[in-house]
Amino acid sequence: LGSEHNDEFYIEDGKVRTRTNRSGGVQGGISNGEDIVMKIAFKPTATIARKQKTVNRDNEEIDLLARGRHDPCVVPRAVPMAEAMIALVLADHLMIHYAQCELLGRGDAAGQDQQVRTQFAHN
């Protein structure tokens, strides 16, 4: 239901906030200023300890029985990997936003929009 993800807005210390963060900080693909919250899942590692059919380098069908552990354990690496990828995606989108709105201070840019520049100026 939409009501399960709906957040009421209010003013706190002159800033627009939400009373809850049911939408995870993103509404309609745009951050609403609250913390971005997400759930991430990983598929199980592929090595199984039972015989299965496969094909070798000579294109012959053979039986494969994996012995030992051939997969890295992703659990200790999962959080930093996910955080790093999220940071890269957010930085990429920030750079796209700066480029589209000409916010990087290129005075010689053709068609520079001063209104947009002042709208997003950092005080």
Side-chain angles (χ1 to χ4, degrees):
L1 298 172
S3 60
E4 294 174 4
H5 300 280
N6 186 281
D7 294 313
E8 291 183 7
F9 290 90
Y10 71 103
I11 301 290
E12 180 181 277
D13 299 326
K15 295 183 180 181
V16 177
R17 300 287 316 266
T18 61
R19 296 194 189 282
T20 57
N21 193 12
R22 293 184 185 127
S23 65
V26 177
Q27 295 173 326
I30 301 171
S31 169
N32 65 12
E34 298 296 332
D35 290 340
I36 296 176
V37 180
M38 57 189 72
K39 295 179 182 178
I40 298 171
F42 287 84
K43 70 178 190 72
T45 54
T47 302
I48 58 174
R50 68 176 172 194
K51 188 172 18 172
Q52 62 184 9
K53 298 287 185 185
T54 190
V55 176
N56 66 14
R57 292 180 185 160
D58 298 323
N59 289 333
E60 301 169 333
E61 292 185 15
I62 61 168
D63 290 330
L64 172 69
L65 180 58
R67 285 176 274 169
R69 183 83 194 202
H70 300 282
D71 306 318
C73 181
V74 299
V75 174
R77 297 177 194 91
V79 172
M81 274 183 354
E83 286 177 345
M85 194 64 229
I86 293 162
L88 286 171
V89 170
L90 291 175
D92 188 38
H93 282 274
L94 180 63
M95 291 189 306
I96 291 169
H97 176 72
Y98 267 64
Q100 288 176 340
C101 297
E102 298 179 16
L103 299 176
L104 297 177
R106 287 183 41 203
D108 62 337
Q112 191 173 33
D113 187 342
Q114 292 299 326
Q115 182 179 0
V116 171
R117 178 176 296 278
T118 57
Q119 179 182 0
F120 292 100
H122 300 285
N123 296 329

